[in-house]
Amino acid sequence: MPERLRQADQVAALLKHARAATPFFSEDGQPFASTPVNVDSRRILTLRSADFRDWLTANYYGEFESAPSATALRGALRTLEACGQYGDMPAKKIDHRLSFEGDPFAPSKILLDMANPEGEILEITSQGWTIASTDLRHSFRRSASTLPLPVPDANPQSRAPNPLEQLTELFHLSPTARTRIFTWLIAALRPIGPYPILVLRGPASSGKSILARALRVLIDPSIAPLRRLPVRDRDVLRLALQNWVLVFDQIHRVPIKISEALCAISSGDALEVAQADARDAALVEIARPIILIAPLDEAQSPWNPPRSLANRSLTVDLPVISAPRPEAAVWSSFEALRAPVLSALADAVSSAILHIRDIDLGNVARFPDCAAWAAAAAPALGLDAAAITYAIADPDSVWIGSDPLRDTLYAHLRTNPEWTGDATELLTQLRTLAPLATLPSSPRGLSQALTRIPGISVSCSMGAKGQRTLSILGGRHLSPRPHTA
């Protein structure tokens, strides 16, 4: 059995093995190390992370066949941290999954970390895109849950035909849903916020969760692509530091503190990150694309999001899929589309870089920068710039929360905006549309609740036989709220 080194010798041996790594600090004041993966690529690790400690310990064990003491390891890490702060390596910009060169509003190059063992990145310019090896000019950090992207095919002749259309058909997207989702996707590949918060809303069996999972996997695959909404705002921040895209499932309501955190992260806010060893907190500016999955037919009580959150939303209403396929079959078809769709999105980003300085949409009330970016990419996405602007500015794209009675009544009035009859008849009709929603239990309760629903006009009259007749007039602006039994 090999003899255990003395404490000082262990530190010296650890620092000797650490010569293969390059310690440095990020621009926001956090310590990192660049470690070798192979001859052509390196991996960026947080210096005090478990991954870096494991790398250093494995190198030490490879020579001495024993583990260093915790004290020696701590001493070596603190020495490397000091070398990174006061050494010759300048502070570097560290990104997660996506980076850029030039002006963030009109970049000359966008870089997407493939997160594969080869350390490859997808470089996109106005002239096209290519796969390249990571170098020290472009540093990406990865979390333990980060998964690699598929390598797209650079040869247009060998690609699958119309992958974006195939994606549309696979998930049964309406023209409006397609426009909003593709606008959000291309905006999520823009290097600066604010980003729209995509809200996928619909009843059970509308494919909300699998669509959200697919959208994330297209540009930021993860071991756990969907999560429940955290109960603490600092947990939302932690997830934002570890992921490029955040997807939260089963959103029935959002607490005020969490709502404020989501708004800050979608817009790009300066946030403090606690550091180890009583080091001053690092101040980071972070912006992330976000997806919220909001069921319609499972809410137990009405709820409206804060105005700040609603104003940042881009809502897609999904109807029930009449003939759903098994999820395994859908996912199998989607896996075959991942690389072709990534190629198509890279083409769209290249188009956006080429045309962004020529785009003038005038006054756009919501997400003007994202609208201009999407309009610049529109030819490659098969979209029209005017349709993109309308899809973003349309009042129906604003998330107004969940009210089972309101949503079901809007769906009922969509085909018949002038409804006349008694409350019993109306309640029966609404229950056929949304049997699981929390509707009034009696016709009288329904009559009273109707007066509190915005966007409709309700009047009551007496019929020839003394019965009470309701007349409901729905405005043409009513949002489509699909509910199907």
Side-chain angles (χ1 to χ4, degrees):
M1 183 161 179
E3 182 180 353
R4 187 176 179 86
L5 298 179
R6 293 181 304 154
Q7 195 75 21
D9 293 336
Q10 288 185 36
V11 174
L14 286 167
L15 292 175
K16 176 184 175 182
H17 285 287
R19 291 175 183 173
T22 304
F24 65 94
F25 266 61
S26 65
E27 292 179 349
D28 52 31
Q30 298 184 71
F32 287 88
S34 171
T35 60
V37 176
N38 52 42
V39 176
D40 299 320
S41 64
R42 302 180 70 84
R43 184 184 180 192
I44 303 299
L45 301 174
T46 304
L47 200 145
R48 289 186 174 271
S49 67
D51 285 340
F52 183 76
R53 291 197 303 270
D54 291 347
W55 176 84
L56 192 55
T57 301
N59 279 276
Y60 181 93
Y61 181 82
E63 179 177 357
F64 300 103
E65 295 185 3
S66 65
S69 70
T71 302
L73 190 59
R74 186 163 54 250
L77 291 175
R78 295 199 64 157
T79 302
L80 291 172
E81 190 169 333
C83 292
Q85 186 171 18
Y86 297 103
D88 297 331
M89 178 69 72
K92 293 171 56 64
K93 183 174 179 288
I94 306 295
D95 295 290
H96 191 98
R97 187 66 82 174
L98 189 139
S99 186
F100 70 97
E101 290 182 3
D103 180 356
F105 293 97
S108 59
K109 181 184 293 186
I110 287 180
L111 307 122
L112 196 63
D113 180 22
M114 303 296 290
N116 55 23
E118 294 76 18
E120 294 174 323
I121 57 177
L122 179 61
E123 290 190 357
I124 310 173
T125 69
S126 60
Q127 304 303 311
W129 54 268
T130 186
I131 301 295
S133 297
T134 305
D135 56 40
L136 289 178
R137 293 178 303 143
H138 306 116
S139 299
F140 294 93
R141 63 183 300 178
R142 301 170 188 170
S143 67
S145 62
T146 301
L147 292 179
L149 286 164
V151 178
D153 190 349
N155 183 7
Q157 304 299 325
S158 59
R159 297 182 199 167
N162 300 319
L164 296 180
E165 288 302 323
Q166 293 185 53
L167 187 72
T168 300
E169 295 174 3
L170 180 63
F171 292 103
H172 306 277
L173 301 181
S174 67
T176 299
R178 179 184 189 275
T179 300
R180 290 177 185 167
I181 285 174
F182 285 5
T183 298
W184 179 87
L185 261 178
I186 200 65
L189 293 173
R190 181 171 171 263
I192 190 171
Y195 299 102
I197 298 175
L198 182 66
V199 179
L200 299 180
R201 179 176 53 188
S205 302
S206 58
K208 304 179 296 299
S209 296
I210 190 171
L211 174 58
R213 185 188 301 268
L215 293 177
R216 173 161 189 192
V217 167
L218 284 175
I219 56 178
D220 185 31
S222 169
I223 293 174
L226 274 61
R227 294 176 180 266
R228 292 295 182 93
L229 194 64
V231 297
R232 298 179 298 183
D233 53 354
R234 65 174 176 266
D235 291 333
V236 178
L237 170 60
R238 178 180 56 81
L239 290 173
L241 290 171
Q242 297 174 351
N243 301 271
W244 176 247
V245 177
L246 303 178
V247 185
F248 298 113
D249 200 359
Q250 298 296 324
I251 304 298
H252 300 294
R253 59 182 63 243
V254 181
I256 293 297
K257 281 291 187 181
I258 302 299
S259 174
E260 292 173 351
L262 293 176
C263 291
I265 291 171
S266 71
S267 298
D269 200 359
L271 305 168
E272 287 190 347
V273 179
Q275 298 280 56
D277 290 348
R279 181 182 295 278
D280 291 341
L283 190 64
V284 299
E285 184 174 355
I286 190 168
R288 294 289 187 262
I290 298 171
I291 300 177
L292 303 180
I293 305 171
L296 277 181
D297 54 357
E298 298 176 5
Q300 297 302 309
S301 59
W303 176 79
N304 295 323
R307 182 174 298 180
S308 58
L309 181 60
N311 288 342
R312 289 170 170 82
S313 64
L314 185 62
T315 304
V316 173
D317 285 294
L318 299 171
V320 167
I321 299 173
S322 57
R325 298 171 60 194
E327 186 171 330
V330 174
W331 205 250
S332 176
S333 299
F334 172 75
E335 283 294 329
L337 284 175
R338 284 182 62 195
V341 169
L342 183 58
S343 299
L345 291 175
D347 291 338
V349 172
S350 178
S351 174
I353 295 173
L354 179 63
H355 299 294
I356 185 61
R357 296 185 184 276
D358 303 324
I359 297 295
D360 183 7
L361 299 179
N363 295 325
V364 179
R366 284 164 36 87
F367 313 117
D369 294 306
C370 286
W373 181 259
L381 294 172
L383 298 177
D384 178 71
I388 291 173
T389 303
Y390 177 78
I392 290 177
D394 186 358
D396 287 353
S397 69
V398 178
W399 186 33
I400 58 175
S402 176
D403 183 336
L405 176 58
R406 178 198 63 204
D407 296 340
T408 308
L409 184 63
Y410 280 10
H412 187 49
L413 295 178
R414 193 168 69 248
T415 56
N416 183 19
E418 299 182 19
W419 186 91
T420 301
D422 61 39
T424 301
E425 180 186 359
L426 178 60
L427 185 57
T428 300
Q429 293 175 359
L430 295 182
R431 284 176 174 170
T432 63
L433 292 175
L436 298 180
T438 308
L439 300 177
S441 59
S442 66
R444 182 178 180 180
L446 175 61
S447 298
Q448 295 173 346
L450 290 177
T451 61
R452 299 191 296 268
I453 296 179
I456 63 171
S457 174
V458 182
S459 60
C460 182
S461 60
M462 301 299 292
K465 298 181 179 180
Q467 75 276 18
R468 294 169 60 87
T469 301
L470 295 175
S471 296
I472 304 176
L473 178 64
R476 299 184 66 182
H477 64 283
L478 291 179
S479 303
R481 305 287 189 261
H483 286 266
T484 304

